[in-house]
């Protein structure tokens, strides 16, 4: 299995260190009110499976509707998320791509790339100053790039907020990390600081969780989104996996020694971010989003256990690209939608002939989608689309290069690779990075607008900006090829033996239909600047919005996305029985995948021997899971059997297991069984347990509309759905029983400084509020407890 990267340009102007926490004025920059939510029942808007911070009245209804679906505007039932990069400023002589170039009416979210983790574990974009692209740079004389004088900063952040005022349904996210800045960052002078980044911020050198570093980062993230008017945080950590030498080779000195603790550190980071963003959102009257850019490679995901962080995320953006490229010799599509049963890399690894793998090819978008679908509603998943190419030169064999080989005699400096592919260079590698020796990294990386010009035999006038002479001539013909099974186009230059994997209207149109047909939340684009449009006056393709517009046109009339995890009706009553997959082996030792399944009885009733549990796991793995502990684990229904050429047919395999007849489970007791499967799955979900002839859901699934009860009764426990622990409430003890302040009224509006009595305590409001019950908003919420009365 490959360990692909997502290339990030290393030619960045260092963008800028944020200062202090924002005032209410900063919140208004996003076009949203800085008041507490007026929705009386925020739980009704919580997405299915999303963790709710205990003791916090999260204002979900500011972002989600009563079905738990994100509100994005009448013509946007699905997401179109575009990464907007900070380094295409035009200041280096190459074409600029600014906020004014974004097709604002065609998208729903913008992820600004990138902020980083600085040396003090804070979220940063560098030091303020006029060269800071994020907060200080200006573009005099450029139409549309005029600064909003009402904002206290300049740069991209000024322009993003200026255009958000005109397009208030569009949300912006600050994206942190990326390939080049996961384990370090770029200093103001452009040099890379090997600080450890996410690796050392979240995980100590001994592999334990660095909660102090995590808290510092999460607090700074809250300050940052408030100051600059962002709607949330996108974490692009590449990669918290136990697979050795995964991620950027420049980071291996930090990452490899911490591999055993990276997954735990990642989970602690995401939980902490979720809780601190939720508390800030409750204070600000708006729900802050949290997302991640997640890998799609089965190799990387095998070392990420069951990707336990999904419950903390509003949605996941799958990096379903970089599935083939010059990091190895196998020539294939960058981002095929489906497997075709002939992937040369998988064939060389014996995947197709393996009964254990079930012939399932795992280097395609459909496989990655089904991996996450196993634990999340379709609508909380977005597939990734690359607006850039990958490619090889000197390709031997294959069909017009597809599934051929291209081996390099040497690898780029700093790549950490002893053996790699022969990546395309020169005019076939316009968007290249530099290796650590300052030389061009061969990768065949180009914006799609340049690939379209190559296809048409056009040498665009922009080539001089990239160091090519004005009289540059193309060698050979770049013939467009297309494979309908893979849903993958490419350019094949038979004379040069160059293969460039592309995207165009045919492939993106099919992928957009795939999103609509399966109820998927939408698509994520890396990166907006690679889209194309035809300039008739110049007779060439340039940066445009052809592919983005195609997605918008497809999505705007689509039905609402899928908002439930399960495809079946689950019980409305849930019990607090904990289930956890734990004790995974590390790295390459984690095959077959053999964690322990730990069941903990947190109820007040004994579970007798023979108690049956059922759950779903995704069809990303074949339906051959088993156990070695006498629990009779068996797959009782399969959503897919056989190979997956052309796509996986269903979402889930349903599993049954039973406590052995001699094995009862007393309150508080735990039992482990040895579980066994062969391809990665995300956290199994849609659990049920049958107790006393009655079937219950499990509280840990965080299902919408379920009530946690004690088994065998109809009595709800004091645990609201989605928290996993009771909300703290005030105790009336210690007072006189006589409260002078008027009783709290759910229908009344209260201004800042108002006092009320409720449940034997006096409460003071910190800001305007209505409908938020004292004792439920937590220490960061609107009501301050003044003590018993």
């Amino acid at each position: 299995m490959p360990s692909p990267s997502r290339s990030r340009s290393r030619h960045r102007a260092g963008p800028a260190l944020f200062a202090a926490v924002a005032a209410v004025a900063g919140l208004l920059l996003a076009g949203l009110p800085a008041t507490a939510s007026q929705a009386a029942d925020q739980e009704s808007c919580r997405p299915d499976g999303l963790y709710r911070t205990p003791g916090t009245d999260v204002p979900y209804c500011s972002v989600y509707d009563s079905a738990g679906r994100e509100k994005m505007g009448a013509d946007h039932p699905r997401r179109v998320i575009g990464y907007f990069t900070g380094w295409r400023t035009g200041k280096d002589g190459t074409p600029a791509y600014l906020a004014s170039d974004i097709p604002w009416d065609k998208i729903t979210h913008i992820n600004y790339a990138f902020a980083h983790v600085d040396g003090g574990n804070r979220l940063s974009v560098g030091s303020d100053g006029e060269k800071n692209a994020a907060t200080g740079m200006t573009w005099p004389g450029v139409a549309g790039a005029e600064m909003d004088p009402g904002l206290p900063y300049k740069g991209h952040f000024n322009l993003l907020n200026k255009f958000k005022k005109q397009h208030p349904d569009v949300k912006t996210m600050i994206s942190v990390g990326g390939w080049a800045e996961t384990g370090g960052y770029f200093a103001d002078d452009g040099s890379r600081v090997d600080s450890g980044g996410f690796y050392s911020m979240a995980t100590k050198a001994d592999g334990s969780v660095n909660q102090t570093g995590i808290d510092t980062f999460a607090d700074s993230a809250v300050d940052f989104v408030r100051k600059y008017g962002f709607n949330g945080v996108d974490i692009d950590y590449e990669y918290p996996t136990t697979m050795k030498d995964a991620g950027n080779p420049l980071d291996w000195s930090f990452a490899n020694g911490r591999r055993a603790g990276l997954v735990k550190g990642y989970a602690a980071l995401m939980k902490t971010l979720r809780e601190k963003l939720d508390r800030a959102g409750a204070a600000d009257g708006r729900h802050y989003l949290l997302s991640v850019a997640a890998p799609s490679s089965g190799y990387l995901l095998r070392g990420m256990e069951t990707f336990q962080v999904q419950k903390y995320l509003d949605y996941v953006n799958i990096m379903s690209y970089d599935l083939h490229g010059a990091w190895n010799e196998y020539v294939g599509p960058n981002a095929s939608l489906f497997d075709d049963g002939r992937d040369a890399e998988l064939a060389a690894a014996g995947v197709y002939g393996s009964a254990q793998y079930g012939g399932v090819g795992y280097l395609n978008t459909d496989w990655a989608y089904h991996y996450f679908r196993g634990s999340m509603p379709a609508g909380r998943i977005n597939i990734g689309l690359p607006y850039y190419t990958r490619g090889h030169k000197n390709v031997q064999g294959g069909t017009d290069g597809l599934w051929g080989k291209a081996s390099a005699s040497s690898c780029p400096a700093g790549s950490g690779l002893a053996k790699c592919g022969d990546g395309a260079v020169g005019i076939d590698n316009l968007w290249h990075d530099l290796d650590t020796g300052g030389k061009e990294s061969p990768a065949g990386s180009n914006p799609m607008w340049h690939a379209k010009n190559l296809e048409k035999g056009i040498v665009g006038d922009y080539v001089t900006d990239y160091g090519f002479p004005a009289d540059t001539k193309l060698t050979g013909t770049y013939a467009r090829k297309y494979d309908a099974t893979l849903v993958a186009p490419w350019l094949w230059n038979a004379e040069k033996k160059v293969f460039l994997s592309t995207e165009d209207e045919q492939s993106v149109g099919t992928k957009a239909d795939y999103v609509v047909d399966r109820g998927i939340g939408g698509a994520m684009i890396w990166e907006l600047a690679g889209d194309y449009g035809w300039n008739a006056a110049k007779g060439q393709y340039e940066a445009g919005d052809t592919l983005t517009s195609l997605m918008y046109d497809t999505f705007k009339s689509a039905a609402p996305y899928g908002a439930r995890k399960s495809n079946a009706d689950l019980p409305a009553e849930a019990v607090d029985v904990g289930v956890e997959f734990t004790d995974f082996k590390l790295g390459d030792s984690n095959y077959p995948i053999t964690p322990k399944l730990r069941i903990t009885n947190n109820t007040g009733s004994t579970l007798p021997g023979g108690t049956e549990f059922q759950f779903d796991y995704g069809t990303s793995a074949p339906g051959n899971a088993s156990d070695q502990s006498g629990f009779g684990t068996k797959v009782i229904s399969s959503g897919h059997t056989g190979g997956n050429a052309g796509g996986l047919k269903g979402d889930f395999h349903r599993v049954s297991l039973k406590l052995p007849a001699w094995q009862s489970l007393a309150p508080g007791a735990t039992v482990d069984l040895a579980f066994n499967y062969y391809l990665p799955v995300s956290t199994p979900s849609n659990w049920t347990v049958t107790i006393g002839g009655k079937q219950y859901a499990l509280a840990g699934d965080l299902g919408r509309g379920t009530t946690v009860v004690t088994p065998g009764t109809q009595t709800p426990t004091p645990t609201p759905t989605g928290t996993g622990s009771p909300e703290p409430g005030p105790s009336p003890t210690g007072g006189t029983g006589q409260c002078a302040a008027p009783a709290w009224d759910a229908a009344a509006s209260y201004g800042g400084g108002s006092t009320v009595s409720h449940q034997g305590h006096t409460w003071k409001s910190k800001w305007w509020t209505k409908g938020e019950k004292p004792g439920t908003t937590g220490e960061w919420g609107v009501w301050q407890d003044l003590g018993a009365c």
Side-chain angles (χ1 to χ4, degrees), residues 85-114:
T85 59
W87 53 83
R88 303 204 188 282
T89 64
K91 302 295 186 179
D92 63 353
T94 60
Y97 192 89
L98 306 179
S100 53
D101 297 311
I102 295 171
W104 285 85
D105 56 337
K106 308 293 176 63
I107 62 171
T108 59
H109 302 69
I110 296 168
N111 287 358
Y112 180 85
F114 282 109

Short mmCIF file of all heavy atoms in Angstrom, two decimals, residues 85-114:
data_model
loop_
_atom_site.label_atom_id
_atom_site.label_comp_id
_atom_site.label_asym_id
_atom_site.label_seq_id
_atom_site.Cartn_x
_atom_site.Cartn_y
_atom_site.Cartn_z
N THR A 85 -5.55 28.93 -1.11
CA THR A 85 -4.19 28.93 -0.57
C THR A 85 -3.65 30.35 -0.43
O THR A 85 -3.92 31.22 -1.26
CB THR A 85 -3.25 28.11 -1.47
OG1 THR A 85 -3.25 28.67 -2.78
CG2 THR A 85 -3.71 26.67 -1.55
N GLY A 86 -2.86 30.55 0.61
CA GLY A 86 -2.34 31.87 0.91
C GLY A 86 -1.16 32.30 0.08
O GLY A 86 -0.79 33.48 0.09
N TRP A 87 -0.55 31.36 -0.67
CA TRP A 87 0.70 31.71 -1.33
C TRP A 87 0.55 32.14 -2.80
O TRP A 87 1.52 32.57 -3.41
CB TRP A 87 1.69 30.55 -1.23
CG TRP A 87 1.18 29.22 -1.70
CD1 TRP A 87 1.14 28.76 -2.98
CD2 TRP A 87 0.66 28.18 -0.88
NE1 TRP A 87 0.63 27.48 -3.01
CE2 TRP A 87 0.32 27.10 -1.74
CE3 TRP A 87 0.45 28.04 0.49
CZ2 TRP A 87 -0.23 25.91 -1.25
CZ3 TRP A 87 -0.08 26.85 0.97
CH2 TRP A 87 -0.41 25.81 0.10
N ARG A 88 -0.64 32.06 -3.38
CA ARG A 88 -0.80 32.50 -4.77
C ARG A 88 -1.15 33.99 -4.79
O ARG A 88 -2.23 34.40 -5.18
CB ARG A 88 -1.85 31.64 -5.47
CG ARG A 88 -1.48 30.16 -5.40
CD ARG A 88 -2.09 29.31 -6.47
NE ARG A 88 -1.82 27.91 -6.18
CZ ARG A 88 -0.67 27.27 -6.40
NH1 ARG A 88 0.34 27.93 -6.93
NH2 ARG A 88 -0.53 25.99 -6.10
N THR A 89 -0.18 34.78 -4.35
CA THR A 89 -0.38 36.22 -4.18
C THR A 89 -0.04 37.02 -5.43
O THR A 89 -0.40 38.19 -5.53
CB THR A 89 0.50 36.74 -3.05
OG1 THR A 89 1.89 36.56 -3.41
CG2 THR A 89 0.22 36.00 -1.74
N GLY A 90 0.67 36.41 -6.38
CA GLY A 90 1.12 37.15 -7.57
C GLY A 90 2.40 37.92 -7.34
O GLY A 90 2.97 38.48 -8.29
N LYS A 91 2.88 37.98 -6.09
CA LYS A 91 4.06 38.79 -5.78
C LYS A 91 5.35 38.16 -6.31
O LYS A 91 6.37 38.85 -6.42
CB LYS A 91 4.18 38.98 -4.26
CG LYS A 91 2.97 39.64 -3.60
CD LYS A 91 2.77 41.07 -4.06
CE LYS A 91 1.64 41.74 -3.26
NZ LYS A 91 1.41 43.14 -3.65
N ASP A 92 5.31 36.85 -6.63
CA ASP A 92 6.51 36.20 -7.17
C ASP A 92 6.52 36.17 -8.69
O ASP A 92 7.39 35.54 -9.30
CB ASP A 92 6.62 34.78 -6.62
CG ASP A 92 5.46 33.89 -7.04
OD1 ASP A 92 4.49 34.40 -7.65
OD2 ASP A 92 5.51 32.66 -6.76
N GLY A 93 5.55 36.84 -9.32
CA GLY A 93 5.51 36.89 -10.79
C GLY A 93 4.64 35.83 -11.42
O GLY A 93 4.36 35.90 -12.62
N THR A 94 4.22 34.82 -10.66
CA THR A 94 3.29 33.82 -11.20
C THR A 94 1.87 34.30 -11.00
O THR A 94 1.61 35.20 -10.19
CB THR A 94 3.50 32.46 -10.51
OG1 THR A 94 3.28 32.60 -9.11
CG2 THR A 94 4.92 31.94 -10.75
N PRO A 95 0.90 33.73 -11.72
CA PRO A 95 -0.47 34.24 -11.65
C PRO A 95 -1.03 34.21 -10.23
O PRO A 95 -0.85 33.23 -9.50
CB PRO A 95 -1.24 33.28 -12.57
CG PRO A 95 -0.22 32.78 -13.54
CD PRO A 95 1.04 32.68 -12.76
N ALA A 96 -1.68 35.31 -9.86
CA ALA A 96 -2.31 35.40 -8.54
C ALA A 96 -3.68 34.73 -8.56
O ALA A 96 -4.33 34.64 -9.61
CB ALA A 96 -2.46 36.87 -8.13
N TYR A 97 -4.10 34.26 -7.39
CA TYR A 97 -5.47 33.81 -7.19
C TYR A 97 -5.90 34.38 -5.85
O TYR A 97 -5.46 33.92 -4.78
CB TYR A 97 -5.59 32.29 -7.20
CG TYR A 97 -7.02 31.81 -7.27
CD1 TYR A 97 -7.64 31.60 -8.49
CD2 TYR A 97 -7.77 31.59 -6.11
CE1 TYR A 97 -8.96 31.16 -8.58
CE2 TYR A 97 -9.08 31.16 -6.18
CZ TYR A 97 -9.68 30.95 -7.41
OH TYR A 97 -10.99 30.54 -7.49
N LEU A 98 -6.76 35.41 -5.91
CA LEU A 98 -7.16 36.14 -4.72
C LEU A 98 -8.62 35.86 -4.38
O LEU A 98 -9.32 35.19 -5.14
CB LEU A 98 -6.95 37.64 -4.94
CG LEU A 98 -5.53 38.06 -5.37
CD1 LEU A 98 -5.47 39.57 -5.57
CD2 LEU A 98 -4.49 37.61 -4.34
N ALA A 99 -9.06 36.38 -3.25
CA ALA A 99 -10.44 36.15 -2.82
C ALA A 99 -11.44 36.62 -3.86
O ALA A 99 -12.53 36.06 -4.00
CB ALA A 99 -10.70 36.84 -1.48
N SER A 100 -11.08 37.64 -4.62
CA SER A 100 -11.97 38.16 -5.66
C SER A 100 -12.13 37.19 -6.82
O SER A 100 -13.05 37.32 -7.63
CB SER A 100 -11.44 39.49 -6.18
OG SER A 100 -10.08 39.38 -6.59
N ASP A 101 -11.24 36.19 -6.92
CA ASP A 101 -11.31 35.20 -8.00
C ASP A 101 -12.17 33.99 -7.63
O ASP A 101 -12.48 33.16 -8.48
CB ASP A 101 -9.90 34.71 -8.35
CG ASP A 101 -9.01 35.83 -8.89
OD1 ASP A 101 -9.46 36.55 -9.79
OD2 ASP A 101 -7.89 35.98 -8.37
N ILE A 102 -12.55 33.89 -6.37
CA ILE A 102 -13.36 32.75 -5.91
C ILE A 102 -14.78 32.87 -6.46
O ILE A 102 -15.37 33.94 -6.41
CB ILE A 102 -13.40 32.72 -4.36
CG1 ILE A 102 -12.00 32.46 -3.80
CG2 ILE A 102 -14.38 31.67 -3.87
CD1 ILE A 102 -11.92 32.62 -2.28
N PRO A 103 -15.35 31.81 -6.98
CA PRO A 103 -16.76 31.84 -7.42
C PRO A 103 -17.70 31.73 -6.22
O PRO A 103 -18.26 30.66 -5.93
CB PRO A 103 -16.86 30.62 -8.35
CG PRO A 103 -15.84 29.67 -7.82
CD PRO A 103 -14.71 30.50 -7.30
N TRP A 104 -17.88 32.82 -5.53
CA TRP A 104 -18.55 32.83 -4.23
C TRP A 104 -19.97 32.28 -4.30
O TRP A 104 -20.45 31.67 -3.33
CB TRP A 104 -18.57 34.25 -3.66
CG TRP A 104 -17.24 34.68 -3.13
CD1 TRP A 104 -16.21 35.24 -3.84
CD2 TRP A 104 -16.78 34.59 -1.78
NE1 TRP A 104 -15.14 35.50 -3.02
CE2 TRP A 104 -15.46 35.11 -1.74
CE3 TRP A 104 -17.35 34.12 -0.60
CZ2 TRP A 104 -14.72 35.17 -0.56
CZ3 TRP A 104 -16.62 34.18 0.57
CH2 TRP A 104 -15.31 34.70 0.58
N ASP A 105 -20.66 32.49 -5.40
CA ASP A 105 -22.05 32.02 -5.48
C ASP A 105 -22.13 30.54 -5.77
O ASP A 105 -23.22 29.95 -5.71
CB ASP A 105 -22.81 32.81 -6.54
CG ASP A 105 -22.16 32.76 -7.91
OD1 ASP A 105 -20.93 32.50 -7.98
OD2 ASP A 105 -22.86 32.98 -8.91
N LYS A 106 -21.01 29.88 -6.07
CA LYS A 106 -21.02 28.45 -6.43
C LYS A 106 -20.54 27.55 -5.29
O LYS A 106 -20.62 26.33 -5.42
CB LYS A 106 -20.12 28.23 -7.66
CG LYS A 106 -20.43 29.14 -8.85
CD LYS A 106 -21.78 28.85 -9.45
CE LYS A 106 -22.13 29.82 -10.57
NZ LYS A 106 -21.20 29.73 -11.71
N ILE A 107 -20.04 28.13 -4.21
CA ILE A 107 -19.44 27.32 -3.15
C ILE A 107 -20.19 27.53 -1.84
O ILE A 107 -21.02 28.43 -1.71
CB ILE A 107 -17.95 27.67 -2.96
CG1 ILE A 107 -17.81 29.14 -2.54
CG2 ILE A 107 -17.16 27.39 -4.22
CD1 ILE A 107 -16.41 29.51 -2.12
N THR A 108 -19.90 26.69 -0.87
CA THR A 108 -20.53 26.79 0.45
C THR A 108 -19.53 27.08 1.56
O THR A 108 -19.88 27.66 2.58
CB THR A 108 -21.27 25.49 0.80
OG1 THR A 108 -20.33 24.39 0.80
CG2 THR A 108 -22.38 25.21 -0.21
N HIS A 109 -18.30 26.64 1.39
CA HIS A 109 -17.26 26.80 2.42
C HIS A 109 -15.93 27.10 1.74
O HIS A 109 -15.65 26.61 0.64
CB HIS A 109 -17.06 25.52 3.24
CG HIS A 109 -18.28 25.00 3.94
ND1 HIS A 109 -19.35 24.47 3.26
CD2 HIS A 109 -18.59 24.92 5.27
CE1 HIS A 109 -20.28 24.08 4.13
NE2 HIS A 109 -19.84 24.34 5.36
N ILE A 110 -15.10 27.87 2.44
CA ILE A 110 -13.73 28.13 2.02
C ILE A 110 -12.80 27.72 3.15
O ILE A 110 -12.99 28.14 4.30
CB ILE A 110 -13.50 29.61 1.68
CG1 ILE A 110 -14.35 30.03 0.48
CG2 ILE A 110 -12.02 29.89 1.40
CD1 ILE A 110 -14.41 31.53 0.28
N ASN A 111 -11.83 26.88 2.85
CA ASN A 111 -10.79 26.51 3.81
C ASN A 111 -9.52 27.29 3.46
O ASN A 111 -8.95 27.09 2.37
CB ASN A 111 -10.49 25.01 3.75
CG ASN A 111 -11.59 24.18 4.36
OD1 ASN A 111 -12.58 24.69 4.86
ND2 ASN A 111 -11.42 22.86 4.31
N TYR A 112 -9.10 28.16 4.34
CA TYR A 112 -7.87 28.93 4.10
C TYR A 112 -6.67 28.08 4.46
O TYR A 112 -6.53 27.61 5.60
CB TYR A 112 -7.85 30.23 4.91
CG TYR A 112 -6.59 31.03 4.67
CD1 TYR A 112 -6.51 31.91 3.58
CD2 TYR A 112 -5.47 30.87 5.47
CE1 TYR A 112 -5.36 32.60 3.32
CE2 TYR A 112 -4.30 31.57 5.22
CZ TYR A 112 -4.25 32.44 4.14
OH TYR A 112 -3.09 33.14 3.88
N ALA A 113 -5.76 27.90 3.50
CA ALA A 113 -4.56 27.08 3.71
C ALA A 113 -3.30 27.96 3.59
O ALA A 113 -3.12 28.60 2.57
CB ALA A 113 -4.52 25.98 2.65
N PHE A 114 -2.50 27.97 4.59
CA PHE A 114 -2.58 27.23 5.84
C PHE A 114 -2.14 28.11 7.00
O PHE A 114 -1.28 28.97 6.84
CB PHE A 114 -1.66 25.99 5.82
CG PHE A 114 -2.20 24.83 5.04
CD1 PHE A 114 -1.64 24.49 3.84
CD2 PHE A 114 -3.25 24.08 5.53
CE1 PHE A 114 -2.12 23.42 3.12
CE2 PHE A 114 -3.74 23.00 4.82
CZ PHE A 114 -3.18 22.67 3.61
#
